[in-house]
Amino acid sequence: MRVIDNFQHIGEENAFAVLARAAELEAQGKSVINLGIGQPDFPTPPHIAEAAIKAIRDGQHGYTPALGIAPLREAVADHLNQRYRAGVKADNIIVVPGGKVTMFAAIMMFGQPGKNILYPDPGFPIYRSMIEFTGATPVPIPIRESNGFAFSAEETLPLINADTSLVILNSPANPCGGVTPKADVDALVRGLEAHPQVAIMSDEIYDHMVYDGEEHVSLLNYPEIRDRLILLNGWSKTYAMTGWRLGYSLWPDAIFENVRKLAVNAWSCVNAPAQFAALEALTGPQDAVTDMVNQFDARRLKVLDALNELPGVSCIRPKGAFYAFPNVKDTGWKAKELANALLEDAGVAVIGGPDFGITGEGYIRVSYANSIDNIMEAMNRIDTFLKKS
Ligand code: PLP
């Protein structure tokens, strides 16, 4: 039996392996503080969970349309139009089982041998994994500490050539917490006008988590690229719904049929009660979102101060999402070895920067989606570990 060669190139997310190892250590009676996983530690707000329970009681247990229930697609379009005055139509929206599904669909649609796809490095590991799976050439866009972990239009545009089929952008960003300023997004969009064959996938799954009074700059704000923009978003991070597997995306008219057919072939529709929860999330009270974002912000400032006090560690101020990406070069450790030793010997789970791409060497990702008490205890453990190592 021999599966096709593409499977030799598929990667994965090390965060799940770290989560599994942390659970193993805990099962052996060891205490582990998990700053490794990228998910809110809050429960899904009760009114959202109740909407799903009600949907089950109301008998919403059958298939829904492949694109999602009509009121939910309308609610997504309304939400985007209120937030960005974007002129989005529900006809261009599909509800999908998780944010990841949009990147899977987009990369499948634009990746094949002979094509280049640009993606952020460090970046969400599935971008590169899926690009390699399709046989396209992955072209990393370096995301640098010296640029505040934002995209640099100047560094990105020269990487585009006639074979480039897709550019993937992500702001606010995983794993560095960077937020790309408007001036850079403007310059990038201006530069993309010279490459009309290139599609753009903007992963804006952390769009509500922007701090220090900055505004999220959505690629939806640029009508000049709307006919080739795929917008990825979803409920996982904003509404603390990672396990519900709910996402949505906006697709241009010209390729919408492709994603509809992919849905029919692969997942038929998203779990029906979950779609009713998603509808309540968008149309119900938003206080829980504000509260969660405020708590992430408070933790961000605490973790930033604590990281900068660790020996050999320095960390620039993360502007968005719920990650810090400290520089650990002066500890004398290689990043992945340090992450491993912290898990095994200090009881703190973090992720080595190289798990997000080669530019991540010398850094670790610290998720502050955990309580302040746990974060401070983790910082104490790391401090003790580094002082004796
Ligand atoms: N995009 C980014 C940048 C992410 O960090 C994640 C999850 O960590 C996703 C997409 C996927 O989200 P989901 O869990 O909804 O598939």
Side-chain angles (χ1 to χ4, degrees):
M1 191 163 65
R2 181 161 154 73
V3 298
I4 59 163
D5 294 345
N6 301 41
F7 279 89
Q8 286 165 20
H9 305 292
I10 198 161
E12 60 185 314
E13 251 189 279
N14 200 33
F16 285 100
V18 171
L19 186 66
R21 180 64 188 147
E24 243 173 58
L25 290 170
E26 281 179 321
Q28 292 165 15
K30 298 197 176 128
S31 150
V32 178
I33 300 176
N34 198 335
L35 306 184
I37 194 76
Q39 69 177 338
D41 55 318
F42 302 106
T44 300
H47 66 102
I48 299 176
E50 282 304 324
I53 294 166
K54 178 171 183 310
I56 296 174
R57 293 219 169 95
D58 290 350
Q60 301 289 356
H61 48 64
Y63 292 122
T64 76
L67 297 171
I69 54 172
L72 181 55
R73 295 172 66 212
E74 288 289 346
V76 169
D78 288 351
H79 170 78
L80 292 172
N81 290 333
Q82 271 166 26
R83 228 166 123 69
Y84 304 116
R85 301 182 192 287
V88 167
K89 288 195 286 207
D91 289 349
N92 295 85
I93 300 289
I94 177 168
V95 180
V96 288
K100 256 181 192 169
V101 176
T102 297
M103 69 186 79
F104 178 85
I107 297 169
M108 291 293 279
M109 238 179 260
F110 289 96
Q112 66 178 29
K115 297 290 182 199
N116 297 331
I117 299 184
L118 274 56
Y119 69 100
D121 178 334
F124 190 57
I126 300 306
Y127 304 144
R128 185 185 173 105
S129 164
M130 276 307 302
I131 297 167
E132 292 200 316
F133 181 74
T134 66
T137 304
V139 180
I141 305 169
I143 303 293
R144 300 190 195 280
E145 183 181 10
S146 54
N147 198 39
F149 291 129
F151 262 91
S152 147
E154 207 186 333
E155 213 170 349
T156 305
L157 290 166
L159 299 172
I160 300 177
N161 66 26
D163 296 325
T164 305
S165 56
L166 178 68
V167 174
I168 299 175
L169 304 171
N170 172 222
S171 175
N174 177 10
C176 307
V179 171
T180 300
K182 183 165 182 306
D184 259 300
V185 186
D186 286 355
L188 194 72
V189 170
R190 231 178 298 124
L192 282 167
E193 280 175 37
H195 306 283
Q197 88 285 3
V198 175
I200 301 133
M201 188 192 84
S202 183
D203 181 342
E204 302 188 12
I205 201 145
Y206 296 99
D207 65 341
H208 282 77
M209 290 152 202
V210 181
Y211 313 108
D212 294 335
E214 299 222 7
E215 293 235 326
H216 169 61
V217 182
S218 175
L219 269 286
L220 274 178
N221 291 334
Y222 297 84
E224 57 273 48
I225 51 158
R226 179 63 71 75
D227 61 348
R228 50 195 170 120
L229 174 69
I230 301 158
L231 179 88
L232 179 161
N233 209 325
W235 288 261
S236 296
K237 316 287 174 173
T238 310
Y239 295 98
M241 296 179 79
T242 49
W244 292 72
R245 308 313 301 138
L246 271 169
Y248 66 81
S249 37
L250 171 86
W251 296 75
D253 289 334
I255 55 174
F256 193 77
E257 264 303 277
N258 296 325
V259 68
R260 187 189 65 74
K261 286 188 186 158
L262 206 55
V264 171
N265 277 270
W267 58 89
S268 296
C269 67
V270 170
N271 171 311
Q275 293 191 53
F276 285 86
L279 181 59
E280 173 61 22
L282 288 182
T283 55
Q286 301 297 305
D287 319 5
V289 176
T290 313
D291 184 50
M292 287 189 276
V293 172
N294 287 341
Q295 292 201 52
F296 284 135
D297 192 8
R299 296 162 177 192
R300 174 182 72 114
L301 299 174
K302 285 265 186 204
V303 82
L304 178 65
D305 285 348
L307 284 167
N308 278 311
E309 289 192 358
L310 296 174
V313 177
S314 64
C315 186
I316 65 165
R317 195 177 177 94
K319 299 267 183 196
F322 39 65
Y323 307 108
F325 206 61
N327 182 326
V328 296
K329 291 174 191 165
D330 288 345
T331 61
W333 284 84
K334 295 285 245 182
K336 276 194 69 123
E337 285 157 19
L338 177 61
N340 198 35
L342 288 174
L343 178 57
E344 300 293 332
D345 303 334
V348 180
V350 296
I351 313 283
D355 283 335
F356 303 96
I358 47 167
T359 320
E361 184 51 83
Y363 300 85
I364 55 172
R365 188 188 77 172
V366 174
S367 160
Y368 50 86
N370 208 323
S371 69
I372 288 193
D373 285 352
N374 280 345
I375 292 170
M376 296 321 283
E377 168 61 18
M379 294 298 128
N380 284 337
R381 290 184 187 185
I382 299 177
D383 190 50
T384 309
F385 174 84
L386 286 175
K387 282 181 177 150
K388 69 168 202 264
S389 69

